[in-house]
Amino acid sequence: NTKGKTLEAELVRVDGKKVYLKLTKNRQVHPVDIAKLAPADQDYINEYLQEQSEKLREKALEKRKAKWHKKYADAKAEAEQFDLPILLLYTAPEWCGYCVMLEDRVFKTSEFKKFSNRNLVLLIADFSEEKDKKKWMKENSILTDKFKVGGYPSTYFITSDLEKKGQLGGYEKGWSTEVYIEKMAAFIGK
């Protein structure tokens, strides 16, 4: 500790500004202020907390099932919760053949679903009908002002803070699901 005393103990838990230590000598649990620990022990506690946080995140990601959001606010909240990037898809499957192919050959596959469960928050803008397009653009103007639709389908990879990480335009017929996933992984750093 900061007073120069050495204790042999096992870390039981961390609660706020205290740690609970089980002394090796008598097996009793004692609360200790983290601020009273030596700097090296404080570093250990910080590493321990980081490890525990990462384990909880991994457990949550294992259970997570990605779903297509229609509102940026919902996608942003999930992206921040899981610390994941957002895949923003501009599509029009009712009249765009390439949109249908992309959906059928990539987004509906088990490989993509598995990848997105752990790596992406999904946000869809279905512009099949003009009234839907106008409504979506109004509700999500923060996106449409920054990420323009040049053609359909258009796929952007963005952070919850609207930083562009990458973009895929259109649908490449020769690309397999694996190729799309490799390109997505490259954009998001996986």
Side-chain angles (χ1 to χ4, degrees):
N1 64 25
T2 56
K3 293 181 181 178
K5 292 183 182 178
T6 301
L7 300 172
E8 285 191 32
E10 175 185 331
L11 176 62
V12 176
R13 75 176 196 272
V14 179
D15 188 8
K17 295 182 180 184
K18 290 193 180 290
V19 293
Y20 291 81
L21 302 173
K22 184 186 288 186
L23 301 180
T24 305
K25 184 176 175 181
N26 63 12
R27 306 301 293 161
Q28 291 181 344
V29 176
H30 296 277
V32 178
D33 290 334
I34 293 173
K36 291 184 178 180
L37 295 174
D41 292 329
Q42 290 179 24
D43 291 343
Y44 173 81
I45 297 300
N46 288 331
E47 289 172 17
Y48 170 82
L49 290 172
Q50 183 66 33
E51 243 177 56
Q52 294 305 309
S53 176
E54 192 58 36
K55 284 180 184 178
L56 289 173
R57 182 179 180 273
E58 280 300 313
K59 278 187 175 183
L61 282 174
E62 286 173 13
K63 295 177 184 177
R64 181 178 175 269
K65 299 288 182 212
K67 63 178 185 172
W68 289 99
H69 294 283
K70 293 183 180 179
K71 294 182 180 177
Y72 168 65
D74 296 338
K76 179 180 179 173
E78 186 176 355
E80 289 173 346
Q81 176 187 358
F82 290 101
D83 191 27
L84 294 173
I86 299 169
L87 179 156
L88 167 60
L89 173 66
Y90 291 115
T91 187
E94 287 187 24
W95 53 264
C96 169
Y98 289 111
C99 297
V100 173
M101 283 190 267
L102 180 60
E103 186 175 326
D104 289 344
R105 296 179 185 168
V106 177
F107 297 139
K108 286 185 177 179
T109 67
S110 60
E111 295 92 347
F112 174 76
K113 289 176 183 176
K114 183 178 178 181
F115 179 78
S116 62
N117 286 345
R118 294 189 61 83
N119 298 292
L120 294 168
V121 172
L122 307 174
L123 177 60
I124 189 167
D126 184 346
F127 291 169
S128 293
E129 294 188 28
E130 192 63 30
K131 65 178 174 59
D132 294 333
K133 178 179 179 179
K134 287 179 182 177
K135 180 182 175 190
W136 196 94
M137 290 177 84
K138 183 178 178 184
E139 290 175 352
N140 299 281
S141 62
I142 193 167
L143 293 173
T144 54
D145 290 346
K146 191 162 183 157
F147 306 105
K148 306 292 183 195
V149 181
Y152 299 99
S154 287
T155 308
Y156 287 92
F157 301 89
I158 62 175
T159 66
S160 60
D161 296 328
L162 301 177
E163 177 189 329
K164 181 179 169 184
K165 296 175 86 59
Q167 177 182 1
L168 288 172
Y171 172 73
E172 298 291 331
K173 286 184 184 180
W175 288 4
S176 64
T177 303
E178 292 77 21
V179 170
Y180 267 93
I181 290 173
E182 285 173 17
K183 292 200 175 291
M184 291 178 204
F187 287 136
I188 63 173
K190 294 288 177 177

